[in-house]
Amino acid sequence: MARPKSDDKHNALLLAAEQVFAQRGLAAAPTSAISKQAGVAEGTLFTYFRTKDELVNALYRAIKLDLADALMTRFPRTGPVRDRLEYLWDAFVDWGVANPQRLNVLDQLSVADRVSEESKAVGYEPFAEIEALAQHSIETGVLHAYPVAFIAATMKSMAETTMAFMTQYPAEAGQYRTIGFKVFWSGIACNTDS
Amino acid sequence: MARPKSDDKHNALLLAAEQVFAQRGLAAAPTSAISKQAGVAEGTLFTYFRTKDELVNALYRAIKLDLADALMTRFPRTGPVRDRLEYLWDAFVDWGVANPQRLNVLDQLSVADRVSEESKAVGYEPFAEIEALAQHSIETGVLHAYPVAFIAATMKSMAETTMAFMTQYPAEAGQYRTIGFKVFWSGIACNTDS
Amino acid sequence: MARPKSDDKHNALLLAAEQVFAQRGLAAAPTSAISKQAGVAEGTLFTYFRTKDELVNALYRAIKLDLADALMTRFPRTGPVRDRLEYLWDAFVDWGVANPQRLNVLDQLSVADRVSEESKAVGYEPFAEIEALAQHSIETGVLHAYPVAFIAATMKSMAETTMAFMTQYPAEAGQYRTIGFKVFWSGIACNTDS
Amino acid sequence: MARPKSDDKHNALLLAAEQVFAQRGLAAAPTSAISKQAGVAEGTLFTYFRTKDELVNALYRAIKLDLADALMTRFPRTGPVRDRLEYLWDAFVDWGVANPQRLNVLDQLSVADRVSEESKAVGYEPFAEIEALAQHSIETGVLHAYPVAFIAATMKSMAETTMAFMTQYPAEAGQYRTIGFKVFWSGIACNTDS
DNA sequence: AATGAATGAGGATTCATTCAT
DNA sequence: GATGAATGAATCCTCATTCAT
């Protein structure tokens, strides 16, 4: 018996949770609303996720995985550092603008204490390669010798700021995307031109 | 007047709310816990704040006001732009590191939909001067011609990132403070040396 | 020190209670709303009436007294029974139509269990004379030999029905007043003409 | 379907509400007392009635339906008007005397503003036939040409007065029932003998 | 006496979770 | 496995009453 429970329902519940969290906020989202949105009975939710917390954590990981997929799948493993980082940047903000609801929920979950440390660690893993890139770039003198975690966090927070403006002013989205990266790159690169 | 409404209790409730929100999260903070923490009866909370939402909004404004006081009171109205911005940066991150709980709650409140748009507008007002400085600096060619709101948002998000690291690694707090500002300044200034 | 407390406030509170009960219903009328309507502090209500129940009972008695005044002050002690009963009838329904709010509250209070049996007895007393008239009329063969209490209750309930119609259809108020009495009189009199 | 919503519990809650309202009064009847009386959990009440108001309205309709059943099911559609009205009268007062608690609650509900106009309209419908009978009787000269609504209201209020006496003096219940109808009939009929 | 802040029990309703069907 | 009724603790808020001022 490989997997008796339906993948469809599992995913429907995750998607429903995302929608409900986006609409009503993580705090004010009863499980009943989630199961309703997913088109299943209230009790069914609990055969797929033992508790609400488990659902929340699963959703966090799913979103992070989706994001990782968007960033890392076609990530160029060669070429100039600037180009490779810009690839990540564009992939990130494009993902955020294309999935504003998902981004919104990710923001909520990142602050919520319902998400366990373990989930955060798991969610971070796919992005470790970025830190490796940063580490290498520091050693080759392309980036300033700041802690890599700090560089990664800077990238994340600046990208999120950028996404917020892109979402708010869709007409200028392209400009914000460019500006955002320039600010970020200028902040961390030794030689801005490279 | 009989027993005048006491400022002490008003403040005690605000402080208690901050503590309880920090410990248990905005979502899971019953008013009963807040009144208990404040040392008053459950009903008393509602003579000072008609609803929980009103308390939340009052707390948001109070924290913003406190932050504004920390940043703007001694803010130098003259001198090089870089120095003036660095003053703000230092004041901001020092405040955040000195009041981690308050900062945490501010972050929670900034995302929460319990905080009204009006409160956000009121909370933002004292910081308008920063945007004015940015605007002036753009016109004099000191800063890049990016939208001032974007520059302000960048400053905020980078400072928060910096604070997170300062809090997590207190031993290197000073270094992070410096690094953070350098990254920010390099990102927005036309001539990095100025 | 005959009466240190002010009659004005006493009456203002009774009047306020009447208004608030009429507007919001006896059940949903907080004492705070009553004191506010009366223009006094919340605590003041309790120096005039020890409890809410005491206020309710006092109001019941006051309304009954007012009604008794309207009915009995000029009540003709001589003349044909029919005329004397019609006098009462007219006085009753005219009072009700002139004071619809007071009548409404009286109806609410008559059903409420907050009003004590003692209050009901006290409230009934001024109307005892009506029963005496009925008793006499039975003995002289003018009215049917039904229990006097039943005749009195019949008069009351029919008058209230009549008032409801007079209030609802003010244009035909006069006709309902006449019809109502005719129905009542025909029901209890041996000889309808007398 | 999992566990179907049980008619038993629905009725148990309605009955419990009736009992609790009768004992404690509509105003002072917490839902917790009702669910306890019904033998269900506090939350269960709200799976059968979304709000307390909905329960109150459902109870009002149920009582009215029960009363309608008692009056109208075997109501003779032919025969002398007097006999037909007397049938209704007897059915009404017998029902009231047999169900004093239900009658008491009906009285409370009839005054309460928790009962919606819609419920009142629905509750009145089954009795419309009585007004039709009155209308017909007026046209054939059996009853006085008073507004039918007024006649109906007279019947109701006199019957309730009668019931009060029957309940208070059970030994003379039969006599009050007869007297009551005679008073009513004499009040409205053109020819008392018919 | 007048005021209105303080109190805390109580009330309607919600909700995560369980379990009978 | 799916369903949704059942549960009862928890929550925000109200309110009659008390009492410090």
Side-chain angles (χ1 to χ4, degrees), chain A residues 33 114-115 152 174:
Chain A
R114 297 186 95 108
V115 175

Side-chain angles (χ1 to χ4, degrees), chain D residues 68-89:
Chain D
D69 185 57
L71 293 216
M72 308 312 292
T73 301
R74 297 174 208 280
F75 173 56
R77 262 72 186 184
T78 61
V81 170
R82 187 190 158 117
D83 291 355
R84 295 173 70 195
L85 278 181
E86 192 158 19
Y87 174 89
L88 288 174
W89 180 273

